[in-house]
Amino acid sequence: MAIVQHDRGDQVDAHRWFTTTARAAREGGDRRMAAWVLARHAMVPLNYGAAPQAARLAALARREAGSVPSAAGALATAVSARALAALGDTGRARQAVDDVRGLVEQLDGQESADTWFGYSGQKHLVHLSQAYLLLGETRAAYEAQDAALALTMSPSVMTRALLALDAAACLHADKDPSGVAEMAVSVLERLPAGYRQGLVRTRAQALHHRLVGRPRDLLGQALA
């Protein structure tokens, strides 16, 4: 429920569900579950414009995960990298990227499985796409996006849309505003109506705010 509400953009209800679940995990003594929930919780403020809160939650998740390599620890570290990059703390963000790359090499079995609680290669690359984008390293971001799409076997409508919007954001960083608008509009036009809200819309709106002139108008019309 927490993740569904996050994707829908209902931040308040997502926060309630994550808070309740983290409390239950801690009361049950399940530190890995607590770490995973805290890391997922951090993605709510991270994806909706509150990077300081996201960084705090991700740091709590990393501490809860401890030193033994785990999917929860890798997720927490990846989210921490994104939050720190969003805050402009590039040194610590790059260190977190290095840390999560090292953790991924140590995961196997259920820890690296493509399940809710595993940290698969595809998930890793999706997070790296955002981290590199926020760090301004567009070439690395493009590479992560291409590699993530190659591992995305199911329709994964939202994942594909978010990766395309990441690519559009890279075009903005590379000074191609027309390309940004065209790609973002194409994403929105292809999506079923139910997917044009919540997280996808928030990403598209963030791009819209950065544009000016005709590219801004084109994307604004698609959002409307």
Side-chain angles (χ1 to χ4, degrees), residues 28-119:
D30 191 340
R31 292 192 65 183
R32 282 195 179 185
M33 178 60 76
W36 186 86
V37 170
L38 285 166
R40 289 292 320 211
H41 191 174
M43 291 170 65
V44 178
L46 176 61
N47 285 323
Y48 292 101
Q53 183 185 359
R56 288 193 294 272
L57 284 167
L60 286 174
R62 293 185 74 177
R63 286 199 290 272
E64 198 73 45
S67 59
V68 177
S70 67
L75 176 63
T77 307
V79 175
S80 181
R82 290 173 56 186
L84 291 168
L87 288 171
D89 191 343
T90 56
R92 291 172 64 204
R94 288 195 175 98
Q95 182 59 60
V97 168
D98 289 343
D99 290 345
V100 72
R101 289 168 71 96
L103 281 169
V104 165
E105 293 176 356
Q106 301 177 68
L107 301 182
D108 56 19
Q110 289 301 308
E111 298 297 321
S112 60
D114 188 12
T115 64
W116 276 110
F117 302 112
Y119 188 77

Side-chain angles (χ1 to χ4, degrees), residues 195-214:
Y195 286 91
R196 294 178 198 152
Q197 302 301 318
L199 182 54
V200 170
R201 185 174 183 83
T202 297
R203 290 273 176 91
Q205 286 175 326
L207 287 172
H208 179 247
H209 292 326
R210 297 176 207 160
L211 297 173
V212 296
R214 180 163 174 74

Side-chain angles (χ1 to χ4, degrees), residues 166-180:
D166 279 359
C170 286
L171 290 175
H172 182 269
D174 292 338
K175 312 299 183 187
D176 183 3
S178 295
V180 173

